[in-house]
Amino acid sequence: MPDSDLLETRPQLTDGLIAPADQIFDRAAVEDEIAASAPDDADAAAVRKATVAALSKAQAAGRKVIEERFLADPHASREAVQSYAWLTDGLVQTVFRVATQRLHKVSNPTSSERMSVLAVGGYGRFEMAPYSDVDLLFLTPYKITAWAESVIESMLYMLWDLHLKVGHASRTIKDCLRLGKDDFTIRTALLEIRYIDGDEPLAQELASHLFEDLFEGTAPEFIEAKLEERSERHIKQGGQRYMVEPNVKEGKGGLRDLQTLIWVAKYLHRVVRARELMDVGMFTEEEMKTFREANNFLWGVRCHMHLLTGRAADQLTFDLQVEVAERMGYSDRGGRRAVEHFMQDYFRHATQVGELTRIFLTGLENEHLKKEPMLVGLFKRRKKVKPGFKVENGRLTFEDEEAFLSDKLNLLRIFEEGLRTGVLIHPEAMLVIAANLDLIDDDMRENREASRIFLDLLLKHGNPERALRRMNELGVLAAFVPEFEPIVAMMQFNMYHSFTVDEHTIQCISALAEIERGERTEDLPISSQVLKAGVNRKVLYVALFCHDIGKGREEDHSILGARIARRIATRLGLTKSEVETVEWLVRYHLLMSDVAQKRDLSDPRTIKGFAKAVSNKKRLDLLLVLTVCDIRGVGPGTWNNWKAALLRDLYRQTAKALEEGIEALSPAVRSDHAKKALRAQLTDWDRKDVRVETGRHYDTYWQGLGTPEHVVFAGLLKGLDADEIRIGLTQDNDRDATRAAFVLADHPGIFSRLAGALALVGANVVDARTYTTKDGYATAVFWIQDHDGHPFEDIKLKRLEDMIHKTLSGEVIARDAMKSRDKLKKRERAFKVPTSITFDNDASDIYTLIEVDTRDRPGLLYDLTRTLADNHIYIASAVIATYGEQVVDTFYVKDMFGLKFFSDGKMKSLEKKLREAIVQGAERADR
């Protein structure tokens, strides 16, 4: 390609390809084959047929060569994308020449019978992934003629027969200028025109007119439009650079962001290629190196995705991440999977793309081409900046670079000043900070004033996440807290976490600041009350900052993180008592969530054990708020009313136990309270019926369920015949679930049959209890949600009830019907969750706990409960905790004699059978 020109033309030099040019597309051989198959006297149909046949063969051969070379050198993405563009050039040129020289040949063309074929878009940049669109502009000097229409039609049909996805437009130069003036998308496409074939002077004329009559003097409006389009695109893609299934093309930090830089530079400086960004002073050599590396990496990922799927694919889904990582040569190491190392590199490149964008915008602001950013709180009186700082173009920067760098603590102060004044930091200042990170040394990390500034960033200004995110992107956070560096851009390969570990940490801190600002009093009443009453905020923020800092190593991240947190908290100047509390919170930051979601909170032993672990109300308060923020920071939709209700229940019971003693939660006391509450609800019942109802249940029933469930069961049991099955489906709005209550004559295996019936109607069970009355009836209640984690709509409850009746009556056999419904989606199959089964005889006074931690799937609960039923095991309750693709099912059980499991032999035998059921079910789901 020429070094610079108004119009980019097809490259004559082919040293940038992945293989010799004639191995990718041998033009002479193709033309000879067409001529041999369709001699001069052949009709149009024969010529078209011969052309498509020869080109299909050449296309397949060329693709094969590129793919083989690319797989052998999986990081040669620049060469690969140029090779696909070279191959496409060969196809388009051949089709054009056949159309103009054989199908619609004009011996003496008039001035209007001229045409130029131009590539636009990515194809115009000479960059194509294997299944990229082929965007063409058919340029004519005047209004399109019948000859031009025929040529274009013949070309398109042949290109479509080659299974190319062709985007095309037929325009004159005047059309291009008129449409480009009103439509920025068209104007952007015209920026990237590249001559392919036909009348070259006509193409050069268009290029001249574009720069002279359309682009000249309109740079500010074009830049604003492109940056606004970029912002809207980011919001559409999730608004975060660290979404765990990113869009490689359109997402934040993706290829489109790099292309936006080229568009703007081309518009301003008539840059043709990325390397010319250095020539016009937009990037330094180091920044250009970063651009090339990010561009090469992202194009490589995109090409591998296309080849793996056999189609245009830009969403880097979980299943593709595993395969792309393998193709690009990543391997398991350091306790982390290859895919996690690959995605960490991906997110680091995405961050660098963000840095390049900021650098570029700095240049634009200096040239006054980009509007000054709207100041935060435009109509509020702006706080005056401190000495040494100034506001330039609406952004915070330093007055003198040398003076700024003479005190290394300024590398932290500028972020605090930004939070204090509400002014965003100037990109030029960010460049200086990023270039001088080596000033942040051990002396600075041990400096008391530096620690004060950092803690003030967290505690003083109400929105610490803004400073932390910018510090993280610039590398300041990892420089000041080196222990943070390993989790930067660290991806957790699961369906539970929506963000990388560093972004999750910042999201958690943001969640805490929200509660402190009083924005969550309705959603989170107890956490809001706890913070309003007063806790040690320094301890809470530091613990939240450190809670996942031990991730990514082979050691348990809570244990390792606690040791790291002690070191960080000490360095930040916390007192000995505060350091110990931070360490404890990090060590046990999962405890409250685990107990709430994996244990039966109606069992006094659960509350007793948890109360003993937290030991005092101060720690309970801190742990509650930390747990809430941790769950809310996982990702959209993770926090729900179900989790909120569990945590509230655990908090209130534990607080009562700590303040009044565990005796306040004794079964007798709770039963008396429950019966009294039920009587208050049954005021229209006959006294005798009320006595019957309150006398027919054991203490476990009264302490295990709430008044709403007691009312439902009272109604279902009243007047029940011995062989009757009654079902009550009601909404439990406090828990975001549908309550499915069943009463029927008790017999073995009921829990399993009910679980099977619910699985068949697509219900996800989140909690379940089953009890037996003194007069021999089973009372079972399941809390269920649909696949989106919501209660079932009222209009679906009748169908739900009908299917359950059919299953319980034997009309539908759950075991057979499950085979077609227990399936995993393709993107979910990449996840491998090791199965762990544990037996616990200490967590409950009367039950053995069987905890099954494994891969989730629709029919799992049914398979497990059927296995338990087949082995004559009574299930009192099941607590189900789901974490993306992973599920922990905890069963409270007794053997057929009503006793716990104490025999090692029985436990090993049962574990083996449960594992077999899991394996067989997984094989069925993968088919």
Side-chain angles (χ1 to χ4, degrees), residues 43-114:
D43 61 19
V47 172
R48 276 196 293 267
K49 183 178 179 182
T51 302
V52 171
L55 288 178
S56 292
K57 183 177 167 186
Q59 181 187 33
R63 283 183 173 279
K64 186 169 184 261
V65 168
I66 298 171
E67 183 171 0
E68 286 175 350
R69 294 294 181 95
F70 187 47
L71 290 178
D73 186 0
H75 296 278
S77 49
R78 179 174 174 273
E79 293 81 359
V81 297
Q82 293 193 162
S83 296
Y84 283 114
W86 169 266
L87 173 60
T88 306
D89 279 0
L91 301 175
V92 173
Q93 280 187 318
T94 304
V95 164
F96 176 75
R97 290 175 186 180
V98 168
T100 55
Q101 295 173 16
R102 298 202 59 180
L103 298 177
H104 309 288
K105 187 173 182 178
V106 181
S107 300
N108 296 302
T110 64
S111 61
S112 63
E113 290 173 325
R114 293 184 294 144

Side-chain angles (χ1 to χ4, degrees), residues 270-284:
R270 302 190 179 186
V271 166
V272 175
R273 266 158 241 91
R275 66 172 176 267
E276 295 174 37
L277 290 170
M278 280 197 305
D279 300 337
V280 297
M282 298 303 285
F283 283 161
T284 65

